[in-house]
Amino acid sequence: MNSEWYLAPCANPDQAAAELAQQHQSVLTKPPGSLGVLEEIAIRFAAWQGVAQPQCENILLRVFAGDHGVCKHGVSAFPQQVTAQMIHNFIHGGAAISVLARRVKADFAVVNAGTVEPIDDAPSLHNAQLANGTADFTEQAAMTPEVLAAALDLGRQQVSSADLFVGGEMGIGNTTAASAIYCALLDISPESAVGPGTGVDDDGLERKNQAIYRALAFHANKLNNATDVLQRIGGLEIASLVGAYIASAQAGVPVLVDGFISTAAALVADEINPGVREWLLFAHESAEPAHTEALKHLHAQPLLNLGMRLGEGSGAGVAVPLIQTALALHAEMATFVDAGVSEKAS
């Protein structure tokens, strides 16, 4: 690729601010550590924002969409036109992530990286259409290097100043692409990576397995790094997420990673630019197989485990109020001195 902006260093979290937040936690009217992960969230946001009293009100939420050529092999329970239909549902407020975006008052938009069916322009839709979906990666690269570069840059273009970036995705067939990425980067078998996705039956699962086996065999000796993996067996929306994650980390904007597909993008982003990992918070553990392995690989402790596997950024949308609660407790609880409460005897 001509541009290598994605290799530039990421911002450094402010450890002095984290220490101040830790000290503040130690004098709040509670036993030390008694709020568990909620305390850790507040301290991490302090480091990310460089202040002892962080906030999470300005939320940037983008859903990236794209179609997949591998769908010709019957890997999904839904027809490919559902991608375009769901984009309409997103922008008209009827999808799960649309509801969640309203609840947290997010700056919400859908980014069409490339669907098979054309989509008319509409408010809250960035209609990029880089390609008419990816190619069938069982017989050729999913994207050309030029399209991959454009998809990465499309993600970068969505990043602006915010307290938190949330990325969602939509694309019939994208659990197959994500599973292929997991296989390539985690060195696991398709049987270990492939799950029901949109709800395929046993025959559908086998078709997904076989498609991934063919893809890995076809691209053998060409998957030399994460960029190769993304170009050859990834997706337009996954690549856009990768670009958004890297650009967020470079800009010092924390990222809340959603589930199975978003974590595939996080895996790639971490491999391309290891500084990204410091800026990632993981929303939930998906019901899709292999997500647990990916979280372990990234040394990530997800905030929630609700058996979700919808995608769209929905798990992250559910987790945002938890983050806001953690920061409210950090900012609004009284200290022992303020409340006139005796501290633990030394």
Side-chain angles (χ1 to χ4, degrees):
M1 289 182 286
N2 296 326
S3 171
E4 294 188 348
W5 63 266
Y6 46 86
L7 299 178
C10 297
N12 292 315
D14 188 333
Q15 296 307 317
E19 290 173 10
L20 288 174
Q22 177 68 72
Q23 292 169 14
H24 182 68
Q25 282 285 330
S26 71
V27 298
L28 297 179
T29 49
K30 59 177 178 60
S34 58
L35 287 176
V37 174
L38 298 178
E39 297 183 20
E40 297 173 17
I41 291 171
I43 293 166
R44 291 191 72 184
F45 268 83
W48 287 328
Q49 295 181 9
V51 295
Q53 299 285 345
Q55 63 178 14
C56 186
E57 301 301 326
N58 179 14
I59 300 158
L60 188 63
L61 200 168
R62 295 291 182 268
V63 177
F64 298 94
D67 273 317
H68 294 260
V70 72
C71 281
K72 67 188 279 187
H73 298 289
V75 297
S76 175
F78 287 88
Q80 198 161 44
Q81 59 263 35
V82 167
T83 302
Q85 292 167 357
M86 281 301 297
I87 290 175
H88 287 289
N89 193 28
F90 292 142
I91 62 179
H92 289 99
I97 193 58
S98 310
V99 175
L100 293 165
R102 290 195 296 271
R103 295 285 293 180
V104 300
K105 298 180 173 57
D107 176 344
F108 174 75
V110 180
V111 183
N112 176 21
T115 53
V116 170
E117 292 193 1
I119 300 173
D120 294 333
D121 291 335
S124 71
L125 173 65
H126 182 182
N127 211 2
Q129 193 66 12
L130 304 176
N132 296 328
T134 55
D136 174 10
F137 62 48
T138 68
E139 55 189 33
Q140 65 185 101
M143 294 168 268
T144 64
E146 293 75 20
V147 170
L148 173 58
L152 289 166
D153 200 56
L154 178 61
R156 176 171 65 159
Q157 293 167 19
Q158 303 308 309
V159 175
S160 61
S161 178
D163 296 329
L164 182 68
F165 178 86
V166 178
E169 41 63 39
M170 176 64 213
I172 296 301
N174 65 5
T175 58
T176 302
S179 295
I181 290 171
Y182 279 54
C183 290
L185 294 184
L186 299 181
D187 192 25
I188 59 177
S189 68
E191 287 84 0
S192 299
V194 166
T198 51
V200 293
D201 57 17
D202 289 344
D203 288 341
L205 284 173
E206 183 57 25
R207 289 192 292 272
K208 291 173 75 170
N209 284 332
Q210 291 305 315
I212 294 170
Y213 271 117
R214 289 197 297 274
L216 295 175
F218 181 83
H219 298 287
N221 305 319
K222 296 179 180 178
L223 303 177
N224 300 312
N225 53 51
T227 305
D228 289 344
V229 169
L230 188 59
Q231 181 213 333
R232 292 184 169 276
I233 58 177
L236 293 162
E237 79 282 35
I238 297 173
S240 296
L241 274 173
V242 172
Y245 290 167
I246 294 173
S248 293
Q250 290 170 334
V253 176
V255 171
L256 183 59
V257 180
D258 186 41
F260 185 73
I261 293 153
S262 295
T263 301
L267 277 170
V268 174
D270 175 64
E271 290 284 339
I272 291 175
N273 190 331
V276 171
R277 178 64 188 87
E278 287 285 338
W279 295 88
L280 304 181
L281 183 63
F282 290 80
H284 75 116
E285 185 171 342
S286 171
E288 286 286 308
H291 194 221
T292 301
E293 290 303 312
L295 292 171
K296 289 179 181 177
H297 179 83
L298 291 164
H299 305 289
Q301 179 63 50
L303 300 179
L304 302 168
N305 187 340
L306 301 174
M308 297 179 68
R309 55 180 178 85
L310 174 60
E312 305 177 2
S314 56
V318 170
V320 167
L322 182 66
I323 293 169
Q324 294 172 326
T325 297
L327 301 189
L329 288 167
H330 180 77
E332 298 173 26
M333 282 183 69
T335 67
F336 284 102
V337 171
D338 293 336
V341 175
S342 298
E343 297 188 57
K344 183 179 178 182
S346 57

